[in-house]
Amino acid sequence: MELPYHEDVSPGTGGLPPRAWYAGSDAAVLSLNGSWRFRLSPGAADEDESFAADGFDAAAWDEVVVPGHWVLQGHGSPIYTNQMYPFPVDPPRVPTENPTGDHLRGFDLPEDWPADGEVTLRFDGVDSCARVWLNGSLLGDFKGSRLPHEFAVGALLRPRDNVLAVRVHQWSSGSYLEDQDQWWLPGVFRDVTLLHRPEGAVRDHFTHASYDHRDGTGTLRVESDVPGRVTVPELGVDVATGESVTVAVEPWSAERPRLYDGVLTTPGERVPLRIGFRTVALRDGLITVNGRPVLFRGVNRHEFHPETGRAVDLDTMRADVRLMKQHNINAVRTAHYPPHPAFLDLCDELGLWVIDECDLETHGFTMRQWRGNPVDDERWTPALLDRAARTVERDKNHPSVVIWSLGNECGTGRGLTAMAEWIRGRDPGRLLHYEGDPSCADTDMYSRMYADHAEVERIGRREDSGPGARRELPFILCEYAHAMGNGPGGLSDYQRLFETYERLQGGFVWEWADHGLKHPAFGYAYGGDFGEELHDGNFVCDGLCFPDRRPSPGLIEYKRVIQPVRFAYDADTGTVRVTNLYDFADLAELSFEWTYHCDRADDEVRSVSGPLDVPPDLGPGESVELKLPDPPAAARDAETWLHLSALVCEETNWTALDHAVAFADFPVTARPPVPVATGERPRRRGYDLTLGPGRFDVRTGELRGIGDVTLTSPPRLDVWRAPTDNDDGAPWQPDTRYGPLWRTLGLHRVQHRLDDLDVTRDALTVRTRVAPAARDLALRTVYRWTSDGTALRLTVSVTPEGDWEVPLPRLGVRLGLPSGYGSARWFGGDGEAYPDTRAASRLGWWVSPVERMQTPYLRPQENGARADVRWAELRTGFDGPGVRIVGDPAFWFTARPWSTEELDAAAHRTDLVPGDTVWVHLDHGQRGIGSQSCGPGVLPQYELRPAFAEFALTFSAAEPGR
């Protein structure tokens, strides 16, 4: 049976060979982006091809915008799956029910369009298969959604009334090669362009620009299919194509992305060149650039916009790169396909190392134990080689691209080997990556996903099992630290390993941005919100940024963990040690400051700052020790901290002046002991009991109010949190998914039993048993209240009872205040933090409305805790009256306009509506976060194991205006 073109395994017909992408030449260009006529059919054969005939009347059709996806413009719906194919797996066949979009675009040539030469029609991205006609003539068809395809059309063009017809099938044989973890979004989603090719114009060119770190010279050679000359005025270069020239240059690196502007001139065209001199090599078992090993502080980046899907505009691309640079990210893996080529221009310009990945993934074949996997079927090899060639040829002139990646999660097979051999032959000046083959037969590095910390350390020590040749290769984590929901945790622990073992050359966090699609009912939609039969829920929301590119706490944490300057402080000598962690750059672009913070309640100076004179020429890996001024006199009787920071000292193309690159906090003087409020006698009147500012129910011992503030819910022991995505874990980790285990155990519905209430001369003591129904486990909890007449002190003692086999989510007390007390002040960490996500927590005094303390994860879950809080206040307005809480020891502080139960029940942000209570959590302990939504769980040191615990909280009135 002969298969239709969209089901055969060929990459396409009628197209031109792949070539380098470039923009800005002096040849004429006509964009065909904009409004196109559109008709959607349910199947590939439901409509004939008469719409492509010259003169077809499409006036009654709808319109769509190109670039764009029709499912995001009111025609059908998106589908989200992680690895499942959303159609029966029978390669290369696809369903008869195959949404097919017919597109028509009429256009005239500009008046000044040249009459000579050739013309090329270029598609930069169409998902997933297209057949193309111009003025009624068939040009051909193609597959390879995230790759360019070109046709020669000069003989068919006319000055006016041209009609371009494109039939696009959502499903094709190519879909089997594009099973990336993403929304399935059909359409013409990248640019469509008409390119004039004058006689003697460049069809393809290859810029070779190497750097010799030993003598500081760069060697330039530009290959061109049409002879011409290459000029680089800044370097005084003027040579013929194909000839080499060696000159003194500044090298290109992600830290100092030095580009030289050049021009390739042929008889028919002037092509701009952006030249970065750098040499990539595998030396002594390490990935090196310009003779130095590099440490990747990277992210994986899918192309995504919350309204337009993979049709990403240039402003969003630039915002992405700037945001990466501002958060100390130095590398990006283009997961799992080549990005829009303009994104790589930005990486060249602003400075990022790039692993450029081929448009290839066959992940769904894992569900068949890789049976029938196309990468091990020689019938598919031409399609694989076509994708490899289109990737390499398009992007070969970008200095930012230092590594080619064969694809992602394709298992192993002969097709991958063929791709590797072709790439090595075409471009030996870059390294090769692929993660899915344990033998590393076709790669220059050992790459893994989500290896836990212990295994990564064994690999760093070269103690890992596996083929001996693999142990000689450098190691990277091409995916780690799954940034889904609240998290990822354990980043600092990974980074310590990367910086300890030379073989470990860093990794790429999964991933850059949440893929929530704008939705009128849900705010942002994820899998299942469009009625998909098969979907993977909110697994598509696993980014360091929210869809609108607001940084999540995970990105703030990652910035701190990978910061390129390390500080150390010696309190005995009053000196600070500053270490440059850059791979190439000195510290000339940074300025440094010190600040002493004193936690004082009076009007004496709370902070004092000054410059830190770090030598600007401090080179990579070098350190310097500097003497600091003495702490202020106020530090003698107050807790004092030293804050050190490194700031950008001049505006750059990626950030503004005084942008903070690195910081650290260190204790200078210890926190004074918290006074023990005692001595006041409890007084009983009917069912009420007063103790200092506290009012209690004498029957239950529960606190009803503090001063003039009436509580809406009394302080009670609390162990439950709305499980995070990482608490719930991945389905393939059933034995350690603590979210479901906690729920099975009943921690979300514990019951509180009053066992004893004792009023003595100077205290109220309440003994309770806190336990889940149907279990013989419990937490024996004693609340002991004392007062000095002004302040009210609560000491909580917790003793586990029974055989606890799981860690606790949290351990502390929860209380409710009227919603009017919605302004928070505190001294402690500034942003969201948990035991293994607290590196970015800056100590200081902070003020925030309670609603702004919430982290708006797309699937609501535990969030918003502040770490190391010494005291917190909840007030009515910025300086209104309220309640002050002092911890002994410091505590985790969380305040919400909704309860944990409401948070737990919500599926989307829009489900959360502020109520009449501000819920306040004062936690002695929190379990860490981990990365178990796809990666490893919480490290042992960040678990919260049931054990005896005792902590104290002192409550008092917060006076207005203070």
Side-chain angles (χ1 to χ4, degrees):
M1 173 183 175
E2 183 177 354
L3 296 177
Y5 67 91
H6 69 281
E7 288 188 314
D8 68 40
V9 297
S10 73
T13 61
L16 295 171
R19 65 181 180 89
W21 183 91
Y22 59 89
S25 90
D26 60 355
V29 176
L30 177 63
S31 172
L32 298 181
N33 295 347
S35 179
W36 289 49
R37 290 291 182 179
F38 176 78
R39 175 183 66 187
L40 181 64
S41 305
D46 287 353
E47 297 285 352
D48 61 30
E49 296 177 349
S50 61
F51 82 101
D54 217 2
F56 182 85
D57 183 5
W61 287 17
D62 293 324
E63 294 187 6
V64 294
V65 173
V66 170
H69 304 281
W70 69 66
V71 293
L72 300 183
Q73 300 184 58
H75 305 278
S77 298
I79 300 170
Y80 167 61
T81 61
N82 169 30
Q83 72 180 75
M84 299 180 292
Y85 290 108
F87 49 80
V89 180
D90 182 27
R93 305 298 305 279
V94 293
T96 301
E97 295 179 5
N98 184 1
T100 296
D102 291 331
H103 300 68
L104 284 174
R105 172 73 152 88
F107 64 94
D108 299 331
L109 294 179
E111 294 292 335
D112 58 352
W113 188 266
D116 63 340
E118 298 294 331
V119 180
T120 297
L121 173 65
R122 181 181 182 91
F123 294 87
D124 279 306
V126 181
D127 192 335
S128 73
C129 172
R131 176 166 270 192
V132 185
W133 297 262
L134 180 62
N135 294 330
S137 295
L138 177 64
L139 301 179
D141 56 81
F142 61 86
K143 310 176 190 79
S145 297
R146 269 70 71 174
L147 291 163
H149 299 271
E150 294 183 332
F151 299 93
V153 298
L156 298 174
L157 281 172
R158 51 202 183 205
R160 304 187 64 79
D161 299 324
N162 294 281
V163 178
L164 177 60
V166 184
R167 171 162 285 180
V168 180
H169 306 289
Q170 175 157 18
W171 310 124
S172 69
S173 60
S175 302
Y176 286 100
L177 304 180
E178 296 172 4
D179 189 30
Q180 293 97 344
D181 174 13
Q182 62 179 340
W183 293 99
W184 297 87
L185 299 172
V188 184
F189 70 94
R190 286 188 187 155
D191 306 290
V192 182
T193 313
L194 208 61
L195 306 167
H196 180 243
R197 311 309 303 135
E199 185 176 347
V202 178
R203 202 200 72 79
D204 193 18
H205 69 285
F206 195 164
T207 300
H208 303 271
S210 62
Y211 179 73
D212 189 330
H213 65 280
R214 294 163 297 188
D215 62 11
T217 61
T219 299
L220 175 66
R221 177 171 56 88
V222 178
E223 300 173 358
S224 173
D225 63 311
V226 175
R229 296 200 68 80
V230 175
T231 56
V232 187
E234 188 176 354
L235 297 175
V237 169
D238 184 348
V239 296
T241 54
E243 293 183 4
S244 296
V245 59
T246 300
V247 292
V249 298
E250 298 174 46
W252 187 97
S253 72
E255 295 167 6
R256 298 277 170 84
R258 181 66 160 95
L259 292 173
Y260 291 89
D261 291 328
V263 178
L264 166 60
T265 303
T266 67
E269 187 178 19
R270 288 172 55 86
V271 176
L273 305 175
R274 304 177 84 205
I275 304 164
F277 291 90
R278 54 106 187 99
T279 295
V280 185
L282 195 64
R283 286 201 173 96
D284 300 322
L286 297 175
I287 301 167
T288 66
V289 180
N290 301 335
R292 297 183 63 91
V294 295
L295 183 62
F296 295 116
R297 302 167 170 91
V299 292
N300 289 275
R301 176 187 177 268
H302 265 294
E303 288 187 303
F304 184 75
H305 188 282
E307 297 179 25
T308 59
R310 281 190 294 280
V312 180
D313 61 280
L314 185 60
D315 287 344
T316 299
M317 295 181 215
R318 184 175 288 274
D320 278 350
V321 178
R322 284 174 54 89
L323 205 56
M324 290 177 190
K325 295 284 290 185
Q326 289 165 8
H327 288 83
N328 297 327
I329 290 163
N330 72 356
V332 62
R333 174 176 173 234
T334 68
H336 298 293
Y337 43 81
H340 191 291
F343 178 79
L344 298 179
D345 277 348
L346 293 167
C347 295
D348 295 341
E349 175 190 335
L350 278 70
L352 287 173
W353 308 117
V354 175
I355 296 182
D356 196 355
E357 197 147 83
C358 188
D359 190 8
L360 178 61
E361 180 166 339
T362 63
H363 200 174
F365 283 88
T366 58
M367 305 184 79
R368 297 158 45 107
Q369 290 71 53
W370 295 110
R371 178 171 50 86
N373 185 7
V375 303
D376 199 29
D377 183 338
E378 62 184 12
R379 295 176 302 163
W380 293 80
T381 299
L384 271 59
L385 289 172
D386 178 76
R387 289 172 184 245
R390 292 188 183 280
T391 300
V392 171
E393 300 294 5
R394 193 197 75 166
D395 297 341
K396 59 182 179 277
N397 294 325
H398 290 282
S400 58
V401 176
V402 292
I403 297 171
W404 301 117
S405 179
L406 299 179
N408 183 67
E409 292 177 316
C410 294
T412 59
R414 293 164 287 175
L416 292 169
T417 299
M419 293 170 67
E421 291 174 350
W422 184 90
I423 293 173
R424 291 190 196 283
R426 178 59 174 142
D427 183 25
R430 290 181 173 92
L431 302 181
L432 206 55
H433 167 270
Y434 180 66
E435 180 271 339
D437 183 359
S439 74
C440 298
D442 299 318
T443 73
D444 293 308
M445 60 206 70
Y446 178 25
S447 175
R448 287 284 306 282
M449 295 180 180
Y450 306 108
D452 64 26
H453 300 78
E455 183 180 2
V456 170
E457 183 161 22
R458 289 195 298 272
I459 292 170
R461 291 175 172 170
R462 300 188 189 274
E463 297 172 354
D464 51 309
S465 60
R470 189 180 76 188
R471 286 199 289 272
E472 301 306 314
L473 294 176
F475 177 80
I476 65 169
L477 280 168
C478 68
E479 292 182 22
Y480 82 114
H482 197 248
M484 185 177 178
N486 187 335
L491 285 170
S492 295
D493 307 271
Y494 273 119
Q495 195 66 23
R496 277 192 288 271
L497 295 173
F498 298 158
E499 295 176 8
T500 299
Y501 299 101
E502 188 179 48
R503 184 191 185 192
L504 308 180
Q505 295 200 251
F508 297 78
V509 168
W510 186 267
E511 66 159 305
W512 176 240
D514 284 344
H515 294 186
L517 287 167
K518 207 77 175 285
H519 193 282
F522 304 134
Y524 289 109
Y526 48 76
D529 288 337
F530 296 98
E532 303 101 304
E533 177 187 5
L534 295 174
H535 65 86
D536 286 289
N538 69 311
F539 201 71
V540 77
C541 302
D542 47 14
L544 293 169
C545 298
F546 297 116
D548 60 3
R549 295 329 195 252
R550 280 185 298 162
S552 78
L555 181 56
I556 307 301
E557 176 81 356
Y558 193 37
K559 173 187 176 180
R560 171 68 172 85
V561 166
I562 60 176
Q563 66 185 26
V565 178
R566 179 185 296 132
F567 298 101
Y569 173 65
D570 187 330
D572 294 333
T573 61
T575 59
V576 60
R577 184 178 181 86
V578 181
T579 302
N580 179 357
L581 297 181
Y582 284 115
D583 292 326
F584 297 90
D586 59 22
L587 301 182
E589 296 177 354
L590 300 179
S591 62
F592 293 79
E593 293 182 355
W594 56 265
T595 302
Y596 289 113
H597 291 292
C598 304
D599 182 24
R600 299 190 63 88
D602 55 31
D603 294 330
E604 218 175 316
V605 175
R606 291 190 177 191
S607 66
V608 60
S609 302
L612 187 63
D613 295 324
V614 177
D617 59 352
L618 193 71
E622 295 180 351
S623 299
V624 63
E625 290 193 4
L626 302 167
K627 186 76 169 68
L628 290 170
D630 292 334
R636 287 193 297 268
D637 56 354
E639 181 182 12
T640 302
W641 283 71
L642 170 67
H643 179 80
L644 299 169
S645 57
L647 310 171
V648 171
C649 59
E650 60 183 47
E651 189 169 329
T652 72
N653 58 4
W654 55 268
T655 197
L657 179 69
D658 289 339
H659 165 77
V661 168
F663 80 89
D665 289 325
F666 300 97
V668 177
T669 58
R671 182 188 184 197
V674 177
V676 177
T678 188
E680 182 79 358
R681 296 174 64 91
R683 293 179 174 82
R684 179 172 176 174
R685 180 175 299 173
Y687 289 128
D688 294 332
L689 183 145
T690 61
L691 178 60
R695 305 190 307 278
F696 297 83
D697 186 325
V698 76
R699 296 164 296 184
T700 63
E702 292 181 335
L703 181 67
R704 288 179 170 177
I706 303 167
D708 295 332
V709 180
T710 299
L711 304 186
T712 58
S713 183
R716 301 176 92 182
L717 188 75
D718 188 30
V719 296
W720 178 245
R721 71 185 188 195
T724 68
D725 291 311
N726 288 305
D727 289 336
D728 283 340
W732 52 87
Q733 298 165 318
D735 295 334
T736 55
R737 297 171 62 200
Y738 284 116
L741 289 175
W742 292 334
R743 210 177 291 276
T744 299
L745 186 61
L747 295 188
H748 61 304
R749 49 176 175 77
V750 295
Q751 299 180 23
H752 298 254
R753 187 184 75 200
L754 175 64
D755 285 347
D756 183 59
L757 190 155
D758 186 21
V759 181
T760 60
R761 189 172 182 275
D762 64 348
L764 167 65
T765 302
V766 183
R767 294 177 175 83
T768 67
R769 185 177 189 270
V770 181
R775 305 286 174 176
D776 61 355
L777 303 174
L779 297 168
R780 293 283 184 178
T781 306
V782 178
Y783 307 93
R784 187 172 188 272
W785 296 92
T786 61
S787 177
D788 61 1
T790 301
L792 180 67
R793 182 180 174 94
L794 167 64
T795 302
V796 182
S797 303
V798 182
T799 304
E801 181 181 275
D803 186 13
W804 287 84
E805 297 180 352
V806 298
L808 295 174
R810 70 180 342 131
L811 181 69
V813 297
R814 179 177 79 163
L815 59 91
L817 295 171
S819 59
Y821 293 88
S823 182
R825 295 185 183 184
W826 69 97
F827 181 70
D830 60 335
E832 178 180 285
Y834 291 83
D836 57 350
T837 65
R838 63 193 296 173
S841 180
R842 297 178 304 157
L843 199 75
W845 306 275
W846 311 103
V847 178
S848 175
V850 166
E851 61 266 23
R852 293 186 62 182
M853 296 176 70
Q854 316 310 304
T855 303
Y857 295 115
L858 268 63
R859 186 192 74 80
Q861 55 198 272
E862 167 64 31
N863 73 89
R866 270 58 179 176
D868 302 312
V869 174
R870 279 72 166 150
W871 54 263
E873 297 174 348
L874 281 305
R875 292 175 175 263
T876 59
F878 174 76
D879 58 356
V883 174
R884 178 181 175 90
I885 306 123
V886 179
D888 186 11
F891 57 95
W892 303 85
F893 170 51
T894 311
R896 297 197 183 102
W898 37 71
S899 67
T900 301
E901 292 77 14
E902 291 168 318
L903 189 65
D904 190 18
H908 296 88
R909 296 177 183 177
T910 50
D911 296 331
L912 293 169
V913 179
D916 57 5
T917 295
V918 171
W919 293 96
V920 182
H921 297 260
L922 311 167
D923 291 311
H924 179 62
Q926 280 270 1
R927 182 177 184 260
I929 296 297
S931 188
Q932 202 172 5
S933 53
C934 190
V938 174
L939 287 166
Q941 61 266 35
Y942 305 122
E943 293 284 16
L944 181 61
R945 293 290 173 183
F948 174 78
E950 186 170 275
F951 56 96
L953 301 162
T954 300
F955 300 84
S956 59
E959 299 299 329
R962 294 189 61 185

